[in-house]
Amino acid sequence: MSESRWSPSEAGLEQLWAAAVEAAGGTARGMRTTYLDVQRTGTTVAAEVEVEWPDGRHTTETFGAGTSKRARAALRMSDGVHEIGVWRFPYDPALPGLPAAHDPRRMRALVTRLGLAADDVRLAVRTYRPLRRAVVEVRTARASVFVKVLRPDHVEALHRLHRAAAGSRVPESLGWTDDGLLVLAGLRGRSLRRILLSGDPSELDPAELVEMLRTLPPAFAEHAVRRGWAERARHYADVVAAVVPEAGPAAHAIADAALPSAEPRVPVHGDFYETQLLVSGSSFTGLLDIDTAGAGDRYDDPACLLGHLAVLARVRPDRAAVIDRFASRCLREFDRHWDPYLLRTRVAAVVLSLATGAHRVQAPGWREVLGQRLELAERWCRGEELVAA
């Protein structure tokens, strides 16, 4: 399968999804691209497709396609230049456990083996990143568990990491399967993101976040070595340049300004932002998605949170004042523990990594959004303390 960069047009995708639906026995009646990720190793795209079946039923199905090695086990199609792997959710070729996680009968059997009452099982797909991972919430009358669907070669190590971090704020692992399912216990609390978008975060103390980062489980550092935001900034600049070539020079200038701290590596979460943090009352009670944990640069986690908050304030201008106030309090606290200049250049690298987010989900006006995020990253590079526009 070709790994050259595939930049599909809207018309080309319509033809691709129509052909995929026809191969599945239906007729495509409408489609909307929901995910588009352009990387050096290949392009991955997904869409919601309205399908009419021969028996007259109409359903909405998710289809995915990719050119990378991970898509090789899927149905192969060609646009005349690239060989493309195409699949229908949940039959993702890189996630062999996903069909089981999406099957109520099999999930009922799974939670029953865990000792949970399973008379009424309801499933909800919380996350799906094609060829990468998915999260399915399994609800029973008494409890909820979360089934994380991973590539099979990753699941045992992540199970061991959750077990090694027992007693901290991370979810307990209840077990794993050979086909890539990791079963995690639910945690109490609401996400910080929900509070920022619909509540009042004024009672939350950013000093608690500093303490959380200082006391991350040592097992995180034993799990992997993590390249920091500064080290990966050049890659994200290349992605920006691939999507909008004229934006490449600005993106690469931001990447060049991102400075690693050259300090000893410490345990880091690696993707520390508002969705990963659970809050109960006025305290932070949970830390989710530790897949990215490792030994890394101590500046990366606080910078990740600030960068995401800066972007979130632009995504939700109706809540920008609330988000900005909380982010400003975090910045003031973080400046007491991290070098302000190094921290700001690292925040710029995080914002750069988010620049193509609107393009990835094919949001309207994504080019304008990309330009705004590059401008925001440039302001952080200049040391300005503006968290939101």
Side-chain angles (χ1 to χ4, degrees):
M1 182 171 294
S2 170
E3 291 188 16
S4 60
R5 185 166 284 145
W6 172 47
S7 299
S9 65
E10 184 174 347
L13 286 175
E14 289 180 358
Q15 294 175 354
L16 177 70
W17 303 133
V21 171
E22 183 178 356
T27 303
R29 297 303 186 193
M31 55 202 69
R32 181 177 67 90
T33 301
T34 56
Y35 182 89
L36 178 58
D37 189 25
V38 181
Q39 301 288 338
R40 294 192 189 96
T41 55
T43 299
T44 306
V45 62
E48 291 182 351
V49 184
E50 297 176 15
V51 181
E52 181 180 352
W53 301 101
D55 61 3
R57 290 180 302 117
H58 288 254
T59 62
T60 300
E61 307 289 339
T62 296
F63 283 82
T67 58
S68 69
K69 291 180 179 179
R70 295 173 187 166
R72 283 182 175 170
L75 172 69
R76 299 192 186 190
M77 295 185 173
S78 174
D79 63 357
V81 178
H82 304 89
E83 192 174 348
I84 303 161
V86 184
W87 63 93
R88 175 183 168 194
F89 183 90
Y91 303 103
D92 187 308
L95 303 175
L98 187 53
H102 198 247
D103 183 335
R105 179 182 59 82
R106 296 169 77 174
M107 289 299 97
R108 182 180 297 110
L110 178 65
V111 297
T112 298
R113 289 199 301 271
L114 294 173
L116 300 175
D119 294 336
D120 180 23
V121 168
R122 291 167 291 165
L123 306 183
V125 179
R126 295 305 183 195
T127 304
Y128 176 51
R129 294 287 297 272
L131 301 178
R132 293 189 178 187
R133 64 184 178 93
V135 177
V136 178
E137 183 179 2
V138 182
R139 293 183 180 179
T140 72
R142 296 184 181 180
S144 290
V145 297
F146 293 83
V147 177
K148 181 165 284 191
V149 187
L150 304 163
R151 297 199 296 276
D153 57 335
H154 290 179
V155 65
E156 183 178 5
L158 187 56
H159 162 76
R160 292 183 182 279
L161 179 60
H162 275 270
R163 288 291 176 92
S168 63
R169 294 177 172 89
V170 305
E172 177 189 0
S173 174
L174 303 178
W176 60 282
T177 66
D178 290 334
D179 58 354
L181 302 185
L182 180 69
V183 185
L184 300 175
L187 294 177
R188 65 188 178 93
R190 296 186 298 160
S191 74
L192 174 59
R193 183 184 181 93
R194 279 187 61 190
I195 293 171
L196 290 169
L197 296 183
S198 61
D200 180 8
S202 60
E203 293 186 2
L204 297 175
D205 186 357
E208 191 176 344
L209 294 173
V210 175
E211 183 62 20
M212 181 187 297
L213 293 176
R214 283 182 166 175
T215 58
L216 289 175
F220 281 15
E222 300 166 4
H223 177 62
V225 175
R226 177 173 173 81
R227 296 176 65 232
W229 295 111
E231 296 170 287
R232 289 179 288 155
R234 190 79 185 178
H235 162 73
Y236 291 116
D238 289 343
V239 172
V240 169
V243 172
V244 181
E246 59 269 28
H252 284 106
I254 295 167
D256 291 342
L259 301 174
S261 67
E263 296 182 10
R265 293 184 179 273
V266 300
V268 297
H269 178 273
D271 200 22
F272 189 81
Y273 68 104
E274 70 280 353
T275 301
Q276 316 287 33
L277 292 160
L278 295 183
V279 175
S280 181
S282 60
S283 298
F284 294 95
T285 55
L287 181 59
L288 306 178
D289 285 348
I290 63 172
D291 316 40
T292 52
D297 193 308
R298 73 185 188 95
Y299 282 79
D300 280 351
D301 283 342
C304 186
L305 177 61
L306 292 170
H308 276 265
L309 292 177
V311 169
L312 181 61
R314 283 179 169 252
V315 172
R316 288 292 302 270
D318 59 312
R319 298 290 292 180
V322 173
I323 298 166
D324 191 14
R325 281 195 295 271
F326 178 75
S328 296
R329 290 198 291 122
C330 289
L331 181 61
R332 285 194 296 272
E333 181 64 28
F334 294 170
D335 276 347
R336 298 177 57 237
H337 305 276
W338 288 273
D339 178 276
Y341 178 70
L342 289 178
L343 179 62
R344 283 158 177 72
T345 65
R346 203 65 54 82
V347 174
V350 174
V351 175
L352 174 64
S353 77
L354 300 172
T356 57
H359 170 264
R360 189 171 61 246
V361 297
Q362 292 293 281
W366 64 262
R367 286 180 178 271
E368 181 181 358
V369 172
L370 186 148
Q372 291 172 347
R373 293 185 184 178
L374 290 182
E375 179 185 353
L376 182 62
E378 288 171 342
R379 292 217 302 271
W380 279 97
C381 280
R382 292 194 296 266
E384 298 177 11
E385 297 184 12
L386 294 174
V387 177

